[in-house]
Amino acid sequence: MEMLLHTKRITICLFFFVLSLAAAIEIPLSVAQLPTITEQSHTQVAYPFDEDFTIKCEARGNPQPTFNWTKDGKPFNLLSDPRIITFNNSGTFVIQNHGIITNFQGKYRCYASNVLGTAMSEEIELIVPSVPKFPKEKIEPLDVEHGDSVILHCNPPKGIPPLHIYWMNIDLQHIPQDERVSMSLKGDLYFANVEENDSRSDYCCFAAFPRLRTIVQKMPMTLKVSRFKHANDSGSPNAAVTKANFIKERKPKLLIPPESAGSSSSVTVIKGGVLLLECIAEGLPTPHLSWVKVTGNLPKDKPVTENFGKILKIEQVSAADEGTYQCTASNPVGRAKHEFHVHVEEPPRWIKEPEGGVYSVGTNLVLLCEAIGNPEPTIQWKLNGMPVDSRTFRGRISAREISLTNLQLQDSAVYQCEASNKHGTILASANVNVLNIAPLILTSDGENYATVVGYSAFLHCEIFASPAADIRWTKDDSIEPLSALRYELNKNGTLEIKETKKEDSGSYACWAANSVGKRAITANLDIRDATKIAVTPKNPRVLKSHSILLKCQSEYDSHLKNSFKLSWRKDGDQLPVNSTQDSRIIMDMDTLFISTVTLEDQGVYTCVASTSLDSVAAESRLIVLDVPDPPEDLQLSEHQNRSVRLSWRAGASHNSPVNESIIEYEESQWEPGRWQELTRAPGNDTTALLTLAPYMNYQFRVVSVNAVGRSQPSKPSLRYATPPAAPDKNPENIRVEASEPNEMVMKWEPLKPTERNGPGLEYKVSWRQRGVETDWNEELVKKHSLTLRNTPTFVPYEIKVQAVNNLGAGPEPNVTTGYSGEDTPDAAPSGVSVDIVNSTLVKVFWFGIPRDRVRGHLSGYKVSWWKTKSMLDGKRHHPEKHFLTFVGDRNYGMIPGLEPFSEFRLTVLAYNSKGDGPESSPVVFETPEGVNETHEIGPLSDISVANRSTLSWRLSGLSASTKYKFYVKACTAKGCGKPVTEEGLTMAQGSKGIGKISEAVNPTQKFHPIEALDPGTEYTVRLVTKNWVDNNSIFEDVIETRGRAYAGIYDGISTQGWFIGLMCAVALLTLLLLTICFVRRNKGGKYSVKEKEDLHPDPEAQSIKDEIFGEYSDSDEKPLKGSLRSINGDIKATESADSLVDYGEGEHGMFNEDGSFIGAYSGSKEKGSVESTGSSTATFPLHA
């Protein structure tokens, strides 16, 4: 086997190689062949401003061709002029522009020849234009009469087209043109009839030649238009002056085409060109031009009239445009016509061109040449550039065919076919190469190929042979040709292996043989693993302004590592590696990160993985979610008194369907500028029937809602005003308030503006005493209250309030019961008794006063007591009253904090919102001697928790409303540690929420804060004794904390700049004062005796003072009236835990006299969790 030794290289097997298989293999230059023209110039213009002009002619062949030129059909020697530059082995030459080069103008033809034949180029026309100039001439003025027709001739010089002609004055202002004055295609200016204002002396014709970069101007022309003409030119004043053609009305006369052309003319146009038919007429009045096609109709859309209807223009002329066209010029006096017979011709074009090729010895040759055109083209055959002489030519020749039989080597030649008519000439060449050579394998030997599994592999074996060679492929050591279905041999010898597998790797051989000889080459094929990729996440849905990270996961053959590349595309367009778009999109190898996603980021993102052998892509569609676009095009329809239909067009939903549409309204009469929600419509609805209130001036807008959020509101609709009507409802929340016993103030919630329904709103108030048969009293008021005087004290009344306006009254109102003004109770409780609980606590009982003696709503009872003497020393004490308030209708109460072994007196009174009633008769009682404080604790129950990680335990089976004490201690195998304790109270039956016990409160405190409460929440506050003598509270009240909106006023202060600055200034001043005090103290500053006593009290003196006065305060610092004082001034700190604050509702700084809560608790050292008794409201935590 004969092999060609070449350097081995890797060839990529890609699909585009298939495209080259259909192309014919050119004859290798190593094989003797005829010349072939490869490049030539076409028509060329030698512009005077160019330095030189190149006329190209290149050809290939073996042997190397030589070149000859002809000019205008005669031999042209390139060496005859020193301005011509030639090149070796090339027919191209350059003409240098040294000035006058007009002698080079002509038609050139190039001939390339070698021993086998001659190739001929098409004609190359070189045009050497001269610089266009208008001739210098003296143009006589034109003196015409009003109404005459005039033609101003331009006669532009010849030059390279296109030519643009303009008529302007000396100031370069365009001469106005219209139906009366217009320019012809040749550039002349036509006046259908002249007017006096046409007179001027600067009619200038400008001719512009863009390709020559030249504009030339003709000498100005003068036109004088006069209305009168003298009978003679003597200038005598006595000459008769006659009106000459003052009104020269006349029928139209065609100036183009001229009358000399007759009533019709012929026009020839090239197919595919532009047809321009022109008619210009003179006459007075100015004629109007119109066009028709006599033979058939004018083609639709194709004809266009220009120049004020004087030119008919048809572009891209076809055979259908042939026929007779007629132009008509008409005015009121008459008309003129002309017909154009249009003929469509075309230059020659090929139907069949001769095709050359490689022929083997003994074969036959047939060359066909056929062309059409109008007129019919003539065809001429040439052999090696010379006309074929039928007398000496051994084959057959006709107008359209040449044939030869039994070709021999000497029959190699270039055959030329030339088709011509008056519109042009076309040339086709056919190289007939008669060869007899052994196969030449043009593909290098030992090529290495590679592809991936599943792709096709292409092993090339490009062969040139004459006669044609037989080709076969073998694999490895086998001599059998490959014949499986997966193997396909293409015409040029390439072996295609379809859907390759790993086992297709190996060595292949290509064999080529003909009658002259044979050749062979080898090729090696490697099969690699295919590249695989996937993009995650797949089709993600991302909220606008959020971020997304796309990752491209890939697998590829390790041999292809160096050529492996990843790239990203969006909607098919490549994303540049450094494309950051304000650093929003970041690509880092296999990841694509998009921050602050916008709607424009939505699309298909494709990851493309490529190697030297394959390329795969995986895509993921990014869906961006956003709130909908605002609805548009709001329309109102179905107008009714109390309804209207609103329709709209939904905006883009941005990949999240609209769930609902919120319809809002704004009315201009009561609350202009305030938008309020009216109704909602389901997501797919774009219309809603709106229920409206009377006497309103509405406008509406719509907000679309999807899963992402709300859209911006739409633009408002037109306003819609509803007519007034009588009220539909009456005021609500009717109540009675009174500040005097014989007075009753009736109040109610006024109607909202949207509920008034019309002008002149008033309230009709009706009232009568309940249980008394009498007529209703009525009064119309405009305010939302009415005061009645001289009413009986606390008597029930039936009350009605009805809304009334100018159009009528509202519905029949409901009857509400209210009471007239209260007075203080006029009776005292009876049956007052005292049970001694211990030395400091008693329980008081009484009988309540009758309901009719309360004279109002009973608020509760007040128990007052005062110490009269000490049983220890018998001394009398100055009576100082204390009291506790018990809210509600109850008949007992606990009095805590009494001095042991003392005598007291006690009274009870009832009170209402108006004030206190009379006190009961005093009851005298004595407290027993005091004993040490003890705690009654029930039996202990033990629970063992084995899991050391347990930090809480739930106890069940406990008694309701019972106080428990808990001990928790940690134990090991050696024993238990010291316990920690906690107290708590179980909830009452039916109670809700969690209770907290505060620390013990000292009786001398004025207030006690409670922290960590939830805003806008109801709490029950109870005051109980620390030792829990019973489950009844001394005081119990329900409070409600302020809502978040109110609290937010204060929450925001701490974040305000001015507040922070103020606090910093206060802190600085405080620090400055402390520094001054510290300096004074170190310098021995003096203080008053009183200040020293206050700062350093003498315990002994204090004890004597308390024993004498029985109070903790001295005469200079009396407590406020009604405040609760210490019962025993020498109570120890441990005893002070039994505080009045644990019991009562007395005047202890925490409560007002009416028992209302005005403070909050502070805690003691013990704290626990407790639930209120007898209340279903949530209690609140108490913290120290």
Side-chain angles (χ1 to χ4, degrees):
M1 180 178 65
E2 184 177 350
M3 301 176 63
L4 300 175
L5 299 178
H6 293 281
T7 303
K8 295 184 178 181
R9 58 187 177 88
I10 297 290
T11 302
I12 302 173
C13 298
L14 295 177
F15 179 73
F16 60 76
F17 276 117
V18 179
L19 302 178
S20 65
L21 302 183
I25 298 177
E26 293 184 352
I27 303 174
L29 279 177
S30 59
V31 177
Q33 57 188 281
L34 291 164
T36 302
I37 302 293
T38 58
E39 185 180 7
Q40 74 159 85
S41 297
H42 297 282
T43 300
Q44 188 168 341
V45 177
Y47 296 108
F49 42 79
D50 290 337
E51 294 183 356
D52 51 49
F53 319 102
T54 301
I55 299 180
K56 293 183 179 180
C57 179
E58 303 291 342
R60 63 180 181 86
N62 187 4
Q64 176 68 36
T66 58
F67 296 89
N68 294 293
W69 286 89
T70 61
K71 178 178 177 250
D72 298 327
K74 298 178 181 179
F76 179 68
N77 185 5
L78 297 181
L79 302 179
S80 62
D81 196 307
R83 292 173 292 178
I84 297 178
I85 301 174
T86 59
F87 304 92
N88 292 331
N89 298 323
S90 173
T92 300
F93 65 93
V94 176
I95 301 174
Q96 295 177 308
N97 186 0
H98 290 167
I100 300 175
I101 55 171
T102 53
N103 58 315
F104 288 107
Q105 179 166 306
K107 295 182 178 179
Y108 294 82
R109 178 162 277 172
C110 173
Y111 296 86
S113 305
N114 64 12
V115 294
L116 300 178
T118 299
M120 180 178 65
S121 73
E122 296 179 2
E123 277 191 340
I124 305 170
E125 183 177 7
L126 178 63
I127 301 173
V128 182
S130 59
V131 177
K133 294 180 182 180
F134 277 105
K136 291 183 179 182
E137 57 183 333
K138 183 179 180 180
I139 304 175
E140 295 295 331
L142 286 176
D143 191 353
V144 296
E145 296 180 3
H146 183 280
D148 289 348
S149 67
V150 174
I151 304 175
L152 299 181
H153 296 281
C154 180
N155 298 324
K158 293 183 179 180
I160 299 296
L163 167 63
H164 302 295
I165 298 176
Y166 308 95
W167 282 91
M168 293 186 284
N169 59 21
I170 202 67
D171 295 325
L172 300 182
Q173 299 294 319
H174 287 274
I175 302 298
Q177 298 187 30
D178 50 24
E179 274 195 329
R180 186 178 65 85
V181 181
S182 60
M183 184 180 70
S184 68
L185 291 174
K186 292 183 178 181
D188 296 335
L189 190 64
Y190 285 78
F191 293 80
N193 51 80
V194 293
E195 299 175 353
E196 286 185 284
N197 57 8
D198 293 327
S199 296
R200 62 187 315 132
S201 59
D202 57 352
Y203 283 94
C204 299
C205 178
F206 291 85
F209 299 88
R211 294 177 67 183
L212 294 175
R213 307 175 194 176
T214 300
I215 299 178
V216 292
Q217 175 190 346
K218 189 170 185 175
M219 295 297 292
M221 288 174 269
T222 300
L223 175 63
K224 296 179 181 180
V225 180
S226 59
R227 182 173 291 275
F228 301 104
K229 184 177 180 182
H230 294 285
N232 55 58
D233 295 331
S234 63
S236 170
N238 298 322
V241 179
T242 61
K243 286 188 177 180
N245 299 323
F246 181 71
I247 299 177
K248 291 186 175 182
E249 287 192 354
R250 60 189 181 279
K251 70 176 184 178
K253 174 184 176 183
L254 289 175
L255 303 177
I256 297 181
E259 284 188 333
S260 59
S263 61
S264 65
S265 57
S266 295
V267 177
T268 300
V269 61
I270 301 298
K271 182 179 179 181
V274 179
L275 172 63
L276 294 173
L277 301 180
E278 185 178 32
C279 275
I280 296 179
E282 62 95 0
L284 188 67
T286 301
H288 173 73
L289 273 296
S290 61
W291 295 86
V292 294
K293 187 176 183 182
V294 178
T295 56
N297 297 323
L298 285 171
K300 292 183 179 180
D301 302 328
K302 288 188 69 176
V304 176
T305 57
E306 295 181 349
N307 198 19
F308 310 101
K310 299 174 184 179
I311 296 175
L312 179 69
K313 180 179 180 181
I314 299 178
E315 296 181 332
Q316 296 293 321
V317 172
S318 64
D321 297 319
E322 198 168 65
T324 300
Y325 295 81
Q326 178 180 276
C327 76
T328 302
S330 59
N331 68 5
V333 181
R335 62 181 57 196
K337 299 181 180 179
H338 187 86
E339 290 186 350
F340 297 90
H341 303 291
V342 176
H343 304 281
V344 178
E345 298 183 351
E346 63 175 319
R349 58 186 178 89
W350 294 117
I351 294 179
K352 181 68 176 177
E353 295 183 57
E355 297 180 359
V358 177
Y359 297 85
S360 57
V361 174
T363 58
N364 298 326
L365 168 69
V366 176
L367 297 178
L368 301 177
C369 181
E370 188 174 354
I372 61 172
N374 189 6
E376 179 77 19
T378 58
I379 293 179
Q380 182 183 20
W381 285 97
K382 293 184 178 181
L383 180 64
N384 292 326
M386 301 299 294
V388 177
D389 187 352
S390 57
R391 295 171 298 177
T392 59
F393 185 66
R394 73 178 188 88
R396 295 177 55 191
I397 183 170
S398 66
R400 290 182 173 83
E401 180 180 311
I402 280 185
S403 61
L404 281 171
T405 59
N406 191 22
L407 289 174
Q408 301 299 315
L409 294 176
Q410 59 270 24
D411 291 326
S412 294
V414 180
Y415 291 82
Q416 288 100 7
C417 177
E418 204 167 43
S420 305
N421 67 8
K422 65 178 182 179
H423 299 298
T425 300
I426 54 177
L427 175 69
S429 298
N431 286 14
V432 176
N433 289 278
V434 182
L435 301 175
N436 191 43
I437 59 173
L440 293 177
I441 300 181
L442 306 179
T443 303
S444 301
D445 186 24
E447 289 277 7
N448 292 321
Y449 298 90
T451 190
V452 296
V453 173
Y455 280 58
S456 292
F458 297 92
L459 309 184
H460 300 298
C461 186
E462 189 175 358
I463 294 172
F464 181 81
S466 182
D470 293 327
I471 303 172
R472 61 188 179 92
W473 282 86
T474 60
K475 184 175 184 296
D476 296 332
D477 297 330
S478 174
I479 60 173
E480 294 297 323
L482 299 174
S483 59
L485 294 177
R486 292 193 304 113
Y487 300 107
E488 181 175 330
L489 182 62
N490 294 325
K491 293 181 179 180
N492 66 344
T494 297
L495 175 67
E496 179 183 357
I497 307 174
K498 301 178 180 179
E499 298 178 1
T500 56
K501 306 174 183 178
K502 281 285 189 179
E503 52 267 26
D504 290 327
S505 297
S507 177
Y508 293 79
C510 173
W511 300 81
N514 66 3
S515 58
V516 183
K518 64 179 179 178
R519 296 285 189 275
I521 61 169
T522 59
N524 302 309
L525 177 62
D526 289 325
I527 307 297
R528 309 297 188 194
D529 291 326
T531 305
K532 300 176 182 178
I533 61 169
V535 177
T536 57
K538 187 72 173 178
N539 302 334
R541 300 168 68 88
V542 183
L543 289 176
K544 180 185 175 183
S545 300
H546 286 223
S547 301
I548 181 65
L549 177 68
L550 298 178
K551 186 171 180 61
C552 186
Q553 300 170 329
S554 59
E555 294 180 7
Y556 53 88
D557 193 290
S558 58
H559 296 86
L560 306 176
K561 179 179 180 179
N562 292 334
S563 65
F564 178 78
K565 293 180 181 178
L566 277 179
S567 62
W568 289 90
R569 296 176 184 169
K570 179 181 182 291
D571 297 330
D573 296 329
Q574 188 81 24
L575 284 176
V577 176
N578 295 325
S579 174
T580 60
Q581 297 184 12
D582 299 329
S583 301
R584 280 197 323 105
I585 301 179
I586 301 174
M587 287 184 290
D588 185 10
M589 289 298 294
D590 59 345
T591 61
L592 177 65
F593 178 74
I594 307 175
S595 64
T596 316
V597 171
T598 64
L599 294 175
E600 290 72 23
D601 294 326
Q602 180 169 293
V604 177
Y605 288 82
T606 306
C607 175
V608 180
S610 59
T611 66
S612 57
L613 298 181
D614 65 345
S615 178
V616 291
E619 63 184 34
S620 179
R621 180 178 294 275
L622 176 61
I623 301 171
V624 180
L625 306 177
D626 194 12
V627 298
D629 285 343
E632 299 174 342
D633 194 21
L634 272 63
Q635 300 291 335
L636 297 176
S637 60
E638 301 180 22
H639 302 77
Q640 302 294 329
N641 288 346
R642 296 206 178 190
S643 68
V644 70
R645 180 168 294 279
L646 176 66
S647 304
W648 63 91
R649 181 163 49 86
S653 64
H654 297 310
N655 304 305
S656 179
V658 175
N659 300 327
E660 62 179 355
S661 297
I662 302 173
I663 299 157
E664 298 177 338
Y665 74 93
E666 180 262 353
E667 56 84 23
S668 60
Q669 184 174 359
W670 305 107
E671 295 179 289
R674 180 170 177 252
W675 288 92
Q676 304 175 64
E677 182 176 326
L678 179 62
T679 186
R680 299 193 177 203
N684 293 329
D685 290 358
T686 56
T687 181
L689 187 63
L690 307 181
T691 301
L692 308 178
Y695 197 49
M696 301 277 281
N697 189 11
Y698 288 96
Q699 67 175 345
F700 308 97
R701 69 183 188 186
V702 184
V703 176
S704 297
V705 183
N706 63 8
V708 181
R710 293 188 176 197
S711 72
Q712 290 294 317
S714 68
K715 293 182 179 178
S717 69
L718 298 176
R719 286 204 172 269
Y720 180 63
T722 54
D728 295 325
K729 62 178 296 186
N730 292 313
E732 298 176 346
N733 191 21
I734 301 171
R735 61 197 182 278
V736 175
E737 298 177 0
S739 58
E740 299 297 333
N742 298 323
E743 182 181 81
M744 181 170 68
V745 180
M746 293 171 283
K747 294 185 178 181
W748 55 89
E749 294 293 333
L751 293 184
K752 299 177 182 177
T754 57
E755 298 169 343
R756 298 189 176 199
N757 286 13
L761 177 68
E762 292 182 307
Y763 300 101
K764 178 183 174 184
V765 185
S766 306
W767 72 92
R768 69 183 178 185
Q769 192 171 332
R770 192 175 68 182
V772 178
E773 293 296 331
T774 181
D775 293 334
W776 289 91
N777 300 293
E778 295 181 350
E779 186 171 341
L780 280 173
V781 296
K782 294 185 178 180
K783 300 186 297 182
H784 52 280
S785 66
L786 176 62
T787 302
L788 299 181
R789 304 190 187 279
N790 301 321
T791 59
T793 300
F794 201 65
V795 172
Y797 280 83
E798 292 180 337
I799 304 168
K800 298 189 296 183
V801 182
Q802 187 179 30
V804 180
N805 66 16
N806 292 349
L807 282 86
E812 183 63 28
N814 297 325
V815 178
T816 302
T817 300
Y819 287 82
S820 57
E822 299 184 32
D823 204 349
T824 57
D826 61 358
S830 60
V832 179
S833 62
V834 178
D835 283 353
I836 306 299
V837 179
N838 57 34
S839 60
T840 61
L841 180 66
V842 298
K843 190 171 188 178
V844 183
F845 297 91
W846 61 86
F847 294 115
I849 65 175
R851 183 68 61 187
D852 60 340
R853 304 297 296 276
V854 177
R855 299 202 294 181
H857 296 288
L858 178 66
S859 298
Y861 292 89
K862 289 182 182 179
V863 178
S864 302
W865 72 96
W866 61 93
K867 181 179 176 181
T868 56
K869 69 176 180 178
S870 172
M871 303 296 291
L872 183 64
D873 54 10
K875 289 183 179 180
R876 291 282 176 179
H877 283 259
H878 176 72
E880 184 173 350
K881 280 190 175 183
H882 309 277
F883 68 88
L884 285 177
T885 301
F886 298 92
V887 179
D889 188 8
R890 56 190 293 179
N891 60 359
Y892 72 92
M894 304 291 292
I895 308 301
L898 302 176
E899 278 191 50
F901 204 44
S902 302
E903 181 185 84
F904 291 88
R905 292 198 179 196
L906 179 145
T907 62
V908 182
L909 63 83
Y911 72 96
N912 59 19
S913 61
K914 195 63 180 175
D916 296 343
E919 291 183 320
S920 65
S921 300
V923 175
V924 180
F925 67 92
E926 296 178 355
T927 55
E929 296 182 38
V931 294
N932 292 330
E933 180 183 349
T934 60
H935 295 272
E936 295 181 6
I937 301 177
L940 290 172
S941 299
D942 292 333
I943 297 176
S944 297
V945 181
N947 189 348
R948 69 181 66 181
S949 62
T950 300
L951 301 178
S952 64
W953 194 266
R954 180 179 293 276
L955 301 176
S956 60
L958 303 181
S959 300
S961 300
T962 304
K963 183 179 181 183
Y964 287 89
K965 190 166 187 176
F966 304 95
Y967 300 83
V968 180
K969 53 187 175 181
C971 300
T972 64
K974 296 296 184 179
C976 296
K978 183 179 179 181
V980 294
T981 64
E982 187 78 21
E983 292 183 1
L985 176 68
T986 56
M987 292 189 296
Q989 294 292 338
S991 295
K992 299 179 181 178
I994 300 174
K996 296 289 184 180
I997 300 178
S998 76
E999 296 180 357
V1001 180
N1002 193 300
T1004 62
Q1005 289 183 220
K1006 302 294 183 182
F1007 62 89
H1008 181 68
I1010 303 175
E1011 300 176 351
L1013 304 185
D1014 293 330
T1017 306
E1018 253 189 17
Y1019 292 94
T1020 298
V1021 182
R1022 302 176 60 209
L1023 184 65
V1024 296
T1025 60
K1026 182 177 184 298
N1027 293 328
W1028 292 76
V1029 178
D1030 60 11
N1031 286 327
N1032 292 321
S1033 59
I1034 297 171
F1035 163 79
E1036 182 174 313
D1037 196 8
V1038 177
I1039 66 168
E1040 183 174 354
T1041 56
R1042 294 189 179 113
R1044 291 188 183 275
Y1046 188 89
I1049 299 172
Y1050 303 97
D1051 294 342
I1053 292 177
S1054 61
T1055 61
Q1056 299 297 318
W1058 64 266
F1059 180 77
I1060 295 172
L1062 180 60
M1063 291 299 100
C1064 291
V1066 171
L1068 185 60
L1069 289 174
T1070 303
L1071 180 62
L1072 183 60
L1073 290 174
L1074 289 175
T1075 305
I1076 294 172
C1077 291
F1078 179 74
V1079 172
R1080 288 186 60 193
R1081 184 180 184 89
N1082 288 344
K1083 291 182 177 181
K1086 302 300 182 181
Y1087 294 89
S1088 67
V1089 175
K1090 176 62 179 173
E1091 290 175 333
K1092 290 186 177 181
E1093 287 180 354
D1094 292 341
L1095 293 171
H1096 307 288
D1098 184 354
E1100 186 176 349
Q1102 183 69 32
S1103 177
I1104 296 172
K1105 186 188 296 184
D1106 291 341
E1107 186 177 351
I1108 295 173
F1109 297 102
E1111 300 297 340
Y1112 63 87
S1113 60
D1114 57 23
S1115 59
D1116 294 333
E1117 296 181 348
K1118 291 291 183 181
L1120 295 174
K1121 182 180 180 180
S1123 65
L1124 185 61
R1125 301 184 180 182
S1126 174
I1127 297 175
N1128 189 352
D1130 59 355
I1131 294 178
K1132 296 180 181 179
T1134 56
E1135 295 175 343
S1136 67
D1138 289 338
S1139 167
L1140 286 180
V1141 182
D1142 292 336
Y1143 292 79
E1145 304 172 18
E1147 46 157 3
H1148 197 59
M1150 305 161 50
F1151 306 97
N1152 292 331
E1153 290 186 358
D1154 62 356
S1156 62
F1157 182 79
I1158 62 171
Y1161 287 179
S1162 64
S1164 66
K1165 295 179 180 177
E1166 296 180 358
K1167 56 183 178 179
S1169 179
V1170 63
E1171 296 199 5
S1172 65
T1173 60
S1175 175
S1176 62
T1177 58
T1179 60
F1180 53 89
L1182 308 179
H1183 296 288

